[in-house]
Amino acid sequence: MASKFSAIPLLLILFFSLSHARFSPIFTSPETLCNSTPHPSFCKSSLPYNNPGTIHDYAKVSISQSLTNARNFLSLVQYYLTLPSTSYESTIRALEDCQFLAQLNIDSLSYAFETIDNSYDLPGSHSDDLLTLLSATLTNVETCLDGLQSTASASSILKAFSAPLSNGTQCYSVSLSLFRGGWVPKTAEGRLLTERKSINFPNFEKGARKFLPLQSTNGRKLLERFTDGVSVSKMVVVNPYGNGDFATITDAVNSAPNNTGSGDGYFVIYVVAGVYNEYVSIPKNKKYLMMIGDGINQTIITGNRSVVDGWTTFNSSTFAVVGKGFVAVNITFQNTAGAIKHQAVAVRNGADLSAFYNCSFEGYQDTLYTHSLRQFYRDCEIYGTIDYIFGNAAVVFQNCKIYSRLPLSGQFNTVTAQGRTDPNQNTGTSIQNCSILAAEDLASSNGTTKSYLGRPWKEYSRTVVMQSFIDSLIDPSGWAPWSGDFALDTLYYAEFDNTGPGSKTTERVTWPGYHLINATDAANFTVSNFTQGDVWLPATGVPYFDGLL
């Protein structure tokens, strides 16, 4: 269906928004605005020239163009999926990833345009939401490109897609930059705890917040062992041995209502102890779904897809979630393909405002794909070898145990591979009050395997390790390069107030992008500031502390 926006000439968008200004606007030229973006030449060529306007006006024009770009790209992908020559299964899978990601971008850009169409001012939470969505559009394009590049049979298609993907990246980057300049308050660029008011809850214990019961108007109490303060609309039981509502997790997910809101209460799926050989997907229309198991190594969801066996990294996941507001508790997620099969994801998470509590993630290379949007992990265990926490979400790990396993001969371990591609993305990996340890197989080996905190997967890779215990498995240099000097100037890697034999910083890398930070800087990567957790985490029932310890 044709967009109602695509038929509106860009100049009409500009002049319409000017006529509805709520304050005295500051007019400027496209050239001035474009010079502040990562792609000034592309920006100048795409915006209406010699027409005075505000940054808000030009951001609206740019987002409208981005929406048109996303729709055109989706049409291109769908065309190639219909061609008889597109017969290789690996190519089809890569194109299906691109189709899925392009549709996500259309949804995000449509929402962004509608939200800012008549507004020069947004509440702080709304500007955070749109900044997150626009950051994810770039991640989605990059993921599409990664999948095509890793598929040998897609080489000819990659040539046809090269220009559209490049144009999309630049278009979304300009939109993100202009939106950030027009709607995101300056304090949000480096928001400190002292600058943001938190919700006040009584009773603190070791920095973790004890939650007051939330009133539920339409639901029953959640399982007593988790919390009695979460609003629940309905609870169903998955039990493959009978005495449940469903025998499979997928059937239970499919039964959940579509597009519920945060005030409707959680649809809870209780998964009894057992091993579930299922590939589970939580789609975008299954929002505010909570899945609770019987505990780590009791409720196990397992699969073995891998890149070696023809899957893209993106669709190799045993468990994939996109639906907003997802919460998982007391579950083990596995990918058992093994180190020999290279990239093999246990969980891929692209769900905004999602949380995992007391869960385990088991794999080797690329175990946990924190793909995009805002995420939180508390009291979890993550096992892997190479880049086993990777992706481009705004994510905080808190009180987790992170275990490096024994890799293949000649390989080294990297805990993180963060994928930020643009300086305006609000993304990164924050590891707070965690323990970085050797798994049993690595600890009992001969000790020749080197392990690092991370390496820069993308140009603006951002990872912070703070207030954590780092054991002796971590090499004194701390961090590993990706390839030569790639991203060493543009990455942001930081450490703050860590302990343990691997935390000594005297022999750390001397890259321009590596930092030893103070408490003021570290506060920017806490739950409250980095993921706006005070706004959404209390309703989940998942414990957390919002600031530094």
Side-chain angles (χ1 to χ4, degrees):
M1 181 180 294
S3 164
K4 66 177 181 180
F5 307 120
S6 61
I8 302 174
L10 298 180
L11 289 178
L12 287 182
I13 295 173
L14 176 63
F15 291 126
F16 177 82
S17 57
L18 282 174
S19 66
H20 286 73
R22 298 179 182 176
F23 58 89
S24 179
I26 300 174
F27 293 93
T28 186
S29 68
E31 183 169 7
T32 300
L33 292 175
C34 287
N35 285 337
S36 66
T37 71
H39 305 283
S41 296
F42 180 89
C43 177
K44 292 171 188 176
S45 68
S46 61
L47 292 180
Y49 208 70
N50 293 326
N51 287 288
T54 69
I55 190 171
H56 301 84
D57 303 321
Y58 287 115
K60 294 174 187 178
V61 172
S62 181
I63 290 173
S64 177
Q65 291 176 332
S66 293
L67 181 55
T68 299
N69 179 285
R71 289 189 168 119
N72 290 340
F73 184 70
L74 177 60
S75 296
L76 179 66
V77 173
Q78 291 172 334
Y79 168 73
Y80 271 88
L81 279 169
T82 65
L83 293 179
S85 58
T86 307
S87 57
Y88 290 101
E89 188 65 29
S90 59
T91 301
I92 292 172
R93 287 170 178 162
L95 286 172
E96 288 175 342
D97 288 352
C98 293
Q99 178 178 242
F100 175 80
L101 294 161
Q103 185 59 62
L104 290 181
N105 280 355
I106 290 170
D107 295 343
S108 295
L109 291 163
S110 297
Y111 177 76
F113 187 89
E114 291 168 359
T115 302
I116 67 173
D117 190 23
N118 291 305
S119 175
Y120 278 79
D121 187 29
L122 294 173
S125 60
H126 286 181
S127 64
D128 287 333
D129 292 346
L130 294 188
L131 184 64
T132 298
L133 290 175
L134 293 174
S135 294
T137 60
L138 280 166
T139 304
N140 292 338
V141 172
E142 189 73 13
T143 304
C144 168
L145 178 61
D146 286 342
L148 292 171
Q149 288 178 332
S150 65
T151 306
S153 59
S155 58
S156 61
I157 292 177
L158 185 59
K159 291 179 182 179
F161 280 29
S162 179
L165 284 168
S166 176
N167 287 338
T169 296
Q170 294 178 87
C171 197
Y172 303 158
S173 176
V174 169
S175 293
L176 174 63
S177 178
L178 294 178
F179 173 82
R180 186 159 201 162
W183 277 273
V184 178
K186 291 299 181 183
T187 54
E189 301 286 346
R191 191 181 287 141
L192 305 181
L193 290 178
T194 55
E195 296 172 339
R196 181 176 182 142
K197 293 183 180 179
S198 298
I199 304 171
N200 292 319
F201 286 80
N203 301 324
F204 284 80
E205 184 177 71
K206 296 182 180 179
R209 174 167 293 155
K210 285 187 174 181
F211 297 96
L212 295 176
L214 303 176
Q215 297 300 315
S216 174
T217 59
N218 62 342
R220 54 195 285 192
K221 287 185 178 181
L222 192 56
L223 298 177
E224 291 279 339
R225 57 189 168 183
F226 176 49
T227 179
D228 62 358
V230 174
S231 175
V232 177
S233 62
K234 184 177 181 180
M235 183 167 72
V236 298
V237 178
V238 177
N239 188 341
Y241 314 108
N243 299 322
D245 299 296
F246 300 97
T248 70
I249 298 170
T250 297
D251 285 343
V253 170
N254 291 339
S255 76
N258 294 331
N259 297 313
T260 54
S262 58
D264 296 327
Y266 283 96
F267 183 89
V268 178
I269 300 174
Y270 170 49
V271 186
V272 303
V275 178
Y276 296 82
N277 288 282
E278 284 190 63
Y279 294 97
V280 179
S281 177
I282 313 297
K284 64 183 179 182
N285 63 333
K286 302 297 183 181
K287 300 177 181 179
Y288 297 98
L289 189 154
M290 182 177 288
M291 191 173 294
I292 302 176
D294 275 327
I296 291 175
N297 295 327
Q298 298 299 311
T299 298
I300 301 171
I301 304 174
T302 187
N304 62 0
R305 290 174 178 169
S306 69
V307 167
V308 168
D309 288 336
W311 301 89
T312 63
T313 301
F314 186 79
N315 60 37
S316 70
S317 57
T318 301
F319 192 95
V321 54
V322 182
K324 183 178 181 179
F326 177 79
V327 180
V329 184
N330 295 345
I331 300 173
T332 289
F333 303 92
Q334 295 179 337
N335 189 312
T336 61
I340 196 68
K341 293 297 181 74
H342 302 301
Q343 295 96 331
V345 176
V347 168
R348 186 192 83 232
N349 185 5
D352 198 21
L353 312 182
S354 57
F356 286 75
Y357 175 47
N358 196 39
C359 290
S360 178
F361 307 85
E362 300 177 4
Y364 286 85
Q365 184 171 350
D366 290 2
T367 302
L368 176 55
Y369 196 172
T370 57
H371 181 261
S372 55
L373 305 172
R374 291 166 290 189
Q375 308 179 16
F376 179 64
Y377 297 77
R378 169 79 181 209
D379 296 337
C380 291
E381 299 175 359
I382 306 103
Y383 294 82
T385 54
I386 300 171
D387 307 336
Y388 61 96
I389 299 173
F390 75 112
N392 195 26
V395 55
V396 176
F397 292 87
Q398 203 173 83
N399 292 24
C400 294
K401 293 182 179 179
I402 301 171
Y403 292 101
S404 290
R405 307 174 88 166
L406 184 66
L408 297 175
S409 177
Q411 292 181 334
F412 58 84
N413 290 328
T414 43
V415 175
T416 65
Q418 206 283 325
R420 188 166 169 252
T421 61
D422 190 286
N424 289 302
Q425 287 178 304
N426 64 345
T427 55
T429 298
S430 175
I431 297 174
Q432 183 186 22
N433 199 41
C434 295
S435 296
I436 299 174
L437 308 163
E440 185 177 351
D441 57 353
L442 180 63
S444 61
S445 66
N446 58 18
T448 60
T449 299
K450 289 192 173 185
S451 297
Y452 302 90
L453 295 172
R455 59 176 182 161
W457 181 29
K458 304 294 181 180
E459 189 173 2
Y460 291 92
S461 182
R462 181 160 66 174
T463 302
V464 177
V465 181
M466 57 187 186
Q467 301 181 315
S468 293
F469 176 84
I470 305 175
D471 213 345
S472 58
L473 76 156
I474 297 300
D475 188 81
S477 62
W479 308 81
W482 185 269
S483 178
D485 60 359
F486 170 73
L488 302 187
D489 292 344
T490 51
L491 61 78
Y492 184 91
Y493 286 169
E495 296 180 56
F496 168 72
D497 196 25
N498 296 309
T499 60
S503 69
K504 297 176 183 178
T505 59
T506 53
E507 297 181 53
R508 286 295 195 253
V509 295
T510 58
W511 306 336
Y514 172 74
H515 308 274
L516 295 175
I517 57 176
N518 57 27
T520 300
D521 292 330
N524 293 316
F525 299 95
T526 58
V527 165
S528 176
N529 293 334
F530 200 49
T531 66
Q532 298 79 52
D534 279 336
V535 176
W536 58 276
L537 273 172
T540 68
V542 176
Y544 72 99
F545 46 88
D546 58 359
L548 297 174
L549 292 171

